[in-house]
Amino acid sequence: SADMFAGFDGAFGWTGGESYAGTLFRLPLRTEDQAKTSKLSDRHHTAASLAPLLGDVAAQAAEMLLFLKAVERVAVYKWAPGAQKPELVHEAAVRDVTPQLRHLRAAPLRGPAPATADFALDVADGSDRQSWVVRGQMGGETASVLAARAAARGDKLLPWAAVAARLDVAEPFEGRAYCFLPLPRKTGLKNVHVNGFFELSSNRRDLWAAGAEDERGGAADARGAWNAALLADVAAPCLGRALEAAANAPGAG
């Protein structure tokens, strides 16, 4: 209905027409009064309670771009009451985008054929700059076998993994696991993030571990075995290539 889109009038190129070159999400967040009668949750949200969440998005915006397949810019805006348009709070964007870079970043979309996608990624994070090497790979030994077996059952497992190593590190940081977007799980690797088409826990915040109980029944060991194969057969070669590229980068110690 028109009311659903009223809040977007004049923002981000939206003019109220029938078509829009983008995707809009309107989150039906509960007010305090609505939360009192809600059958889903008694948790309510205010502008003040959401501000830290947007702050977290801004802080992680640059590293969100590392493994996404098509997104080239993440920006946080604040639209104050009475203002004519939203105000940019923070922006992170991939720099020096070329058709070749877009092709390599989109490698996971092109199917299960064995392939590598190795590239450099420069990201503008506000006024700062980040320089990364990304090494991706489709397929590898046991991971490819498990993916083929899953396909025969009608399931989809993508034997894709990638590693991003930062070159311009001022202070060492602990790398995180990604499933295209960052997860809370730390990897124990310094200055390196690891991405993969992992099987995740029920809350979508951690990797499924071998031996964990499966609330869906019957597939726990298979899900843990998939993650192990993806790390050993696909992510590990990516890590080797990323470390080699980082060691050979100009200025490397």
Side-chain angles (χ1 to χ4, degrees):
S1 68
D3 290 342
M4 292 290 290
F5 297 100
F8 294 108
D9 287 347
F12 315 114
W14 171 258
T15 59
E18 295 183 357
S19 63
Y20 177 66
T23 303
L24 297 172
F25 295 92
R26 186 178 187 274
L27 304 181
L29 302 175
R30 284 175 288 274
T31 65
E32 186 174 3
D33 288 340
Q34 291 170 334
K36 292 177 182 178
T37 59
S38 173
K39 296 181 180 180
L40 296 176
S41 174
D42 60 0
R43 184 177 180 181
H44 67 278
H45 298 274
T46 64
S49 68
L50 289 176
L53 297 179
L54 288 176
D56 289 343
V57 172
Q60 299 181 44
E63 295 189 7
M64 285 181 180
L65 294 167
L66 292 176
F67 302 113
L68 292 177
K69 300 176 285 296
V71 176
E72 296 173 1
R73 175 176 175 265
V74 175
V76 175
Y77 289 82
K78 179 180 180 180
W79 201 339
Q84 294 298 311
K85 60 181 181 180
E87 175 187 2
L88 178 65
V89 175
H90 189 82
E91 177 184 38
V94 178
R95 304 176 64 208
D96 304 323
V97 177
T98 64
Q100 176 68 1
L101 179 59
R102 288 185 173 132
H103 178 79
L104 291 170
R105 292 185 76 214
L109 299 175
R110 294 196 292 274
T116 58
D118 296 352
F119 54 91
L121 197 68
D122 291 327
V123 180
D125 185 29
S127 60
D128 296 328
R129 298 292 183 269
Q130 298 184 6
S131 181
W132 298 81
V133 291
V134 180
R135 297 294 182 262
Q137 182 170 318
M138 183 75 75
E141 301 184 22
T142 303
S144 291
V145 173
L146 294 178
R149 291 176 181 172
R153 299 192 304 266
D155 297 329
K156 183 177 181 180
L157 293 175
L158 191 67
W160 170 264
V163 168
R166 186 165 177 181
L167 302 179
D168 55 339
V169 180
E171 295 184 7
F173 60 87
E174 189 170 357
R176 295 170 67 177
Y178 282 61
C179 190
F180 296 97
L181 285 170
L183 300 168
R185 164 68 74 94
K186 300 293 182 63
T187 65
L189 299 172
K190 294 297 183 182
N191 309 329
V192 171
H193 297 308
V194 179
N195 172 60
F197 195 80
F198 294 115
E199 286 284 288
L200 302 181
S201 59
S202 57
N203 63 8
R204 310 295 294 175
R205 292 175 58 82
D206 203 355
L207 305 189
W208 194 269
E213 294 184 3
D214 192 341
E215 73 282 358
R216 298 184 300 188
D221 289 341
R223 296 171 74 186
W226 167 254
N227 285 346
L230 198 61
L231 288 169
D233 300 334
V234 189
C238 293
L239 176 60
R241 299 201 310 277
L243 294 178
E244 181 180 11
N248 293 330

